[in-house]
Amino acid sequence: MNSIIGIDIGGTNFRIGFADDSGNVRDFRKQPVKSILKSDDVLRDVADFIESYAGGREFDAVAAGFPATLNRERTKILQAPNLSYMENLPVVEYLEGRLNVPVFAEHDVTFALYYDMRKYDVPADGITCGIYFGTGIGNAIMIDGVPLLGRNGVAGELGHIPVYGSDEPCGCGLVGCMENVAGGKYLARIRRELWPESDIAEIFTEHGNDSAVREFVAMIAACTVTEINILDPDYVIIGGGVVNMKGFPRETLHREIIAGTRKPYPAGNLRVIYADDEPEKCVAGAGYYACDRIMASS
Ligand SMILES: [Zn+2]
């Protein structure tokens, strides 16, 4: 069995563990990104951290997930909306040179979707959409078990489709992107503006009936419906921290998704899975992903 070091670099936390092709994760660690990426040489900091984490233990490959767009060859990070220090990084070349094992770089949500498809027994055949509502909106699309990349490697950017009439600047450089009205950062904004004394974790329990929160849930539905009506997917997996918050109105969301989806189909035959939020998800998914890639190349 291959031993993979899986890495999930988010905006706030850096997660790492030993993963395999069975979804197991050993010695999982979660640390603030700031405690690891300390210098202006991000790749060196990442490589140093992997070496010290491994501590001489053997591993066959590294699979690293980033909240960023990558080139089609999956060798370079192109752009990260919320992490400017990660732009234009030749991550695979550098890490392979330092670590002397194959290194796979991917969009973090692809790892999440790999994990969830196995956890929820979603067959590889057909189209599966993963939509993850966190700080932003992560989106991955699998077609017959292969991630949809697009000509430039940047397909599946549902969070950055335009919302007409919205003038919110986005971390990607555009204005009015979907994730600014249907992602967690919008929720944080309405809390700050409307209920500054409330804890963000209680927003749905304390203010779930307020029109601002209801509109936010409607935007999550509209975002989901957009992808469903384009792709007519076999399965839709909805996850992420926002939809797993305490008191999140999942039934309302589901009703609004069905209401907005084209009739009679896809609405009449829609399979939606609501995925739990698990801290080790992307690390475990990194293990599945790397083992698939190693098998495909052997
Ligand atoms: Zn954007």
Side-chain angles (χ1 to χ4, degrees):
M1 192 174 0
N2 287 306
S3 177
I4 310 297
I5 290 188
I7 296 170
D8 170 21
I9 304 177
T12 312
N13 288 305
F14 192 114
R15 297 174 172 90
I16 190 166
F18 278 89
D20 59 26
D21 59 1
S22 303
N24 302 307
V25 175
R26 287 176 292 120
D27 192 19
F28 176 75
R29 283 191 218 164
K30 174 177 152 186
Q31 271 181 239
V33 170
K34 276 190 226 143
S35 73
I36 295 162
L37 307 184
K38 289 175 285 202
S39 77
D40 54 11
D41 191 340
V42 175
L43 292 177
R44 193 182 63 204
D45 287 348
V46 170
D48 287 349
F49 180 71
I50 294 169
E51 279 179 345
S52 81
Y53 167 81
R57 290 175 289 182
E58 299 265 314
F59 52 96
D60 301 303
V62 169
F66 301 90
T69 51
L70 291 99
N71 63 341
R72 188 178 160 86
E73 295 73 29
R74 292 320 198 223
T75 55
K76 280 191 190 121
I77 293 171
L78 299 177
Q79 200 244 9
N82 304 307
L83 306 165
S84 55
Y85 57 80
M86 270 195 189
E87 291 179 8
N88 288 315
L89 291 182
V91 60
V92 168
E93 184 187 12
Y94 182 88
L95 292 180
E96 286 188 339
R98 279 281 305 269
L99 303 168
N100 294 312
V101 293
V103 173
F104 304 106
E106 250 305 335
H107 199 183
D108 51 4
V109 284
T110 300
F111 290 167
L113 186 54
Y114 262 74
Y115 177 83
D116 282 334
M117 286 180 72
R118 273 144 172 112
K119 176 175 175 181
Y120 297 101
D121 291 324
V122 174
D125 289 347
I127 301 173
T128 301
C129 302
I131 309 173
Y132 295 89
F133 295 90
T135 307
I137 299 170
N139 180 210
I141 299 161
M142 297 279 280
I143 301 179
D144 295 334
V146 179
L148 177 70
L149 298 179
R151 183 182 186 197
N152 304 289
V154 300
E157 286 293 320
L158 185 59
H160 300 275
I161 62 167
V163 176
Y164 181 73
S166 169
D167 56 5
E168 287 285 317
C170 183
C172 75
L174 295 170
V175 170
C177 291
M178 179 62 91
E179 70 174 28
N180 298 291
V181 291
K185 49 188 154 182
Y186 183 74
L187 199 62
R189 195 183 113 190
I190 56 177
R191 183 207 66 84
R192 207 167 52 238
E193 289 176 0
L194 301 177
W195 311 292
E197 321 74 43
S198 291
D199 185 338
I200 187 86
E202 300 295 337
I203 212 103
F204 291 107
T205 52
E206 291 178 8
H207 305 287
N209 288 323
D210 189 278
S211 61
V213 174
R214 289 214 307 264
E215 277 167 27
F216 175 69
V217 174
M219 287 306 294
I220 290 179
C223 178
T224 306
V225 165
T226 300
E227 185 146 292
I228 293 170
N229 281 346
I230 292 171
L231 293 173
D232 184 14
D234 292 81
Y235 286 88
V236 180
I237 295 177
I238 298 176
V242 168
V243 296
N244 281 289
M245 281 171 70
K246 191 163 76 165
F248 181 85
R250 189 171 286 180
E251 280 156 27
T252 304
L253 173 65
H254 193 74
R255 209 168 44 240
E256 292 185 5
I257 289 172
I258 300 288
T261 303
R262 186 83 201 263
K263 314 293 185 304
Y265 301 113
N269 193 19
L270 198 56
R271 290 184 284 208
V272 181
I273 294 166
Y274 293 90
D276 295 334
D277 204 28
E278 297 167 65
E280 300 178 12
K281 178 179 285 195
C282 286
V283 171
Y288 283 131
Y289 176 90
C291 291
D292 267 18
R293 290 279 304 267
I294 290 169
M295 192 130 73
S297 66
S298 62

